[in-house]
Amino acid sequence: MLESIRIYNNNIRQIQKGFILLLNLFAITTVSAQQEAKIFEAYKKDRSLLPDFSYAGYHQGEKNIPNITDYKYFDVTDFGAKPNDGKSDKIAIQLAIDAANKNGSGIVFFPKGRFLVNEDGDLTNSIISKKSNIIFRGSGSGPGGTELYMKNNLPPANPTQMWTVPPLFIFTSSGSDKKIGQVTAAASVGDLTIQVNTTEGLAAGDWIMLKLLDNDKDLIASELKYNKVEPEWTNLVEKGISVKVFYQIKNIKKGKLTLYAPISYPIDPKYNWEVYKYANSEEIGIEDIAFVGNWTEKFVHHRSWKDDSGYTILNIRKTTNSWMKNCRFTNCSVAATIGQSANITVVNCKIDGNAGHQAINSNGSTNVLIANCVDEASQWHSFGSSNGSMNTVIWKCTYPATTCFESHSSQPRNTLLDDVEGGLLNGRAGGAMENMPNHMQGLVLWNYKQTNEPVKDFEFWPPSAVFEWWKIPNPIIVGFTSKGTTFKMEQLGQSESIGTAVEPASLYLAQLKLRLGKLPKWIKEKN
């Protein structure tokens, strides 16, 4: 009997080994079946074929997000906050931030527990930090960690404008931008040097804003190509092409500024390209905190200011080389916005609870990386870009089949949806009619996995008589997989391998490795 059992067990182990071998062979076959993307092979020789997304993120993706331990600690409980006592902690939190700001750096620290940040009787103002080198750190965003609970919404600046509720938390700078001069010579996409008429007031290490606003018809036509401009798009028609991008100066020599990151929009000096000294904070970290709102109603888009922005949680603005990691946003209208900033990384964050308006977006910012984030709430607009953002990377993020990425008009450009999984719905981009189209050139879907039901002949530029709220010119789609969606191919700028994922699995990582010669340490640690 024992011998029979031994033989039986040996047979089972052999079957298991065979099954594991088959699984491994299947995995190898699946990987090898993924095609090497021809467009990426061509890109290695001709960098004009794709936008260069490799400069996105904290210090251009080259450095690890630091684990700051040597700053002075400003524990909010030392300023009067007390978790789990049912009393407001809003004043104490602002006092702790003010003390860290005055010190010139600091870790504003929250122990475990629930802190109340907008209770009955609290002033209806935002909690604000305006200095560099501030770490806003909790003790974890999961159960048993740090929760900042927002019972009441802040009032809108204008109740008829549903987007005007201010964020409860704002991390920004205290200075103002200063106009320096004009760009005087042409520069191509990829150039690291620009010629200006004066460098007075600028030094190596400073940040600049390059600004263009010009309604020249040829300039508009050159960007939209064969796509028709609608007269209702008054900001584009009347004000024109708008670009605001942020770069750090590496060195200055004879009227030339050499930048750390390359120009991402072609500069023609016959148009009105201005240079500003950019007033920014830097090295801001927001870590390990659960931000919990009190949005509990069923969301209805544009029904009210409470729906659209009543529980707006956090805004990082006029900030560079900063990060947010391991945070959770629950029951909120708008989770977080990265506004007029550069080289920000948002990583390992989650939106859950009751569905609201927006998840996490890059708004008017340059080289923002949103990585490994999940929207479980199904915000009306999930992760995305808006308002002139340039080179936004959304990498390995997921959202439900019931929503889609955000592309919220006012001329965002160069947005990469990279190894992203979720819905593809043409009603979720966003933006007012006067600010259309939803996106300008440079939207790239790379190994995008669509999870909602298939659509036949999906359109990125449908006739306005059919649908006027979804206009994206010439997107690039590579390695798109779905349950059978097809596209109006003439509306795509470039396309390859629709129906089968490609190698490299991530365009962002492939471009980063191509630029640096190897992947940086933080990528290796993550993977």
Side-chain angles (χ1 to χ4, degrees), residues 138-446:
S139 300
S141 62
T146 298
E147 178 183 306
L148 305 187
Y149 176 66
M150 180 184 181
K151 177 182 177 181
N152 297 315
N153 53 258
L154 295 180
N158 182 343
T160 66
Q161 296 175 331
M162 290 179 281
W163 62 91
T164 60
V165 174
L168 181 58
F169 294 94
I170 300 174
F171 295 83
T172 185
S173 72
S174 57
S176 299
D177 300 336
K178 180 182 178 182
K179 186 177 177 180
I180 299 296
Q182 285 81 35
V183 181
T184 58
S188 301
V189 172
D191 287 352
L192 288 164
T193 301
I194 59 171
Q195 181 79 45
V196 295
N197 64 338
T198 178
T199 61
E200 186 176 353
L202 295 176
D206 287 343
W207 284 78
I208 61 169
M209 175 177 66
L210 293 180
K211 179 181 177 181
L212 168 69
L213 185 63
D214 199 307
N215 68 350
D216 184 276
K217 291 183 179 179
D218 291 337
L219 179 60
I220 296 171
S222 69
E223 183 159 358
L224 289 184
K225 302 188 186 308
Y226 56 80
N227 297 291
K228 181 183 176 183
V229 178
E230 301 290 343
E232 294 82 9
W233 304 349
T234 51
N235 274 336
L236 182 59
V237 172
E238 297 174 8
K239 296 180 181 179
I241 294 294
S242 176
V243 179
K244 290 182 183 179
V245 283
F246 305 97
Y247 299 104
Q248 189 175 24
I249 301 171
K250 188 173 185 179
N251 60 61
I252 303 174
K253 187 176 182 180
K254 295 181 179 180
K256 290 186 177 181
L257 305 179
T258 300
L259 310 174
Y260 278 97
I263 297 298
S264 48
Y265 193 95
I267 295 176
D268 187 334
K270 76 178 182 180
Y271 301 120
N272 188 30
W273 281 95
E274 298 176 326
V275 181
Y276 287 75
K277 186 176 181 180
Y278 171 54
N280 61 294
S281 293
E282 60 183 355
E283 302 294 338
I284 304 298
I286 303 166
E287 308 173 347
D288 301 298
I289 296 175
F291 298 90
V292 180
N294 193 26
W295 172 248
T296 57
E297 298 179 40
K298 181 176 175 57
F299 175 80
V300 178
H301 194 221
H302 294 340
R303 174 177 60 182
S304 70
W305 60 264
K306 286 187 178 181
D307 288 85
D308 282 12
S309 61
Y311 287 88
T312 296
I313 304 295
L314 188 146
N315 189 294
I316 299 171
R317 67 175 71 149
K318 294 182 73 66
T319 297
T320 60
N321 287 329
S322 297
W323 66 91
M324 180 167 67
K325 68 175 184 178
N326 305 330
C327 289
R328 170 168 58 88
F329 298 86
T330 301
N331 296 341
C332 61
S333 305
V334 180
T337 298
I338 314 301
Q340 299 181 58
S341 296
N343 291 103
I344 310 295
T345 290
V346 178
V347 63
N348 298 336
C349 292
K350 179 167 72 171
I351 299 96
D352 65 6
N354 191 36
H357 193 199
Q358 291 174 273
I360 300 171
N361 77 96
S362 172
N363 182 305
S365 295
T366 303
N367 288 327
V368 169
L369 172 64
I370 302 171
N372 200 38
C373 294
V374 58
D375 170 11
E376 294 179 356
S378 189
Q379 300 293 83
W380 187 264
H381 311 290
S382 200
F383 309 109
S385 61
S386 65
N387 199 29
S389 282
M390 182 76 75
N391 288 13
T392 302
V393 175
I394 301 166
W395 172 48
K396 291 187 78 67
C397 293
T398 61
Y399 38 85
T402 49
T403 189
C404 185
F405 62 86
E406 179 178 17
S407 186
H408 217 106
S409 302
S410 297
Q411 304 186 39
R413 295 173 177 85
N414 294 4
T415 301
L416 171 63
L417 283 300
D418 189 25
D419 195 12
V420 166
E421 181 175 331
L424 180 62
L425 306 168
N426 67 3
R428 296 300 180 91
M433 185 56 62
E434 61 265 26
N435 296 328
M436 294 286 277
N438 302 96
H439 198 280
M440 301 299 273
Q441 295 291 332
L443 178 70
V444 179
L445 275 60
W446 189 278

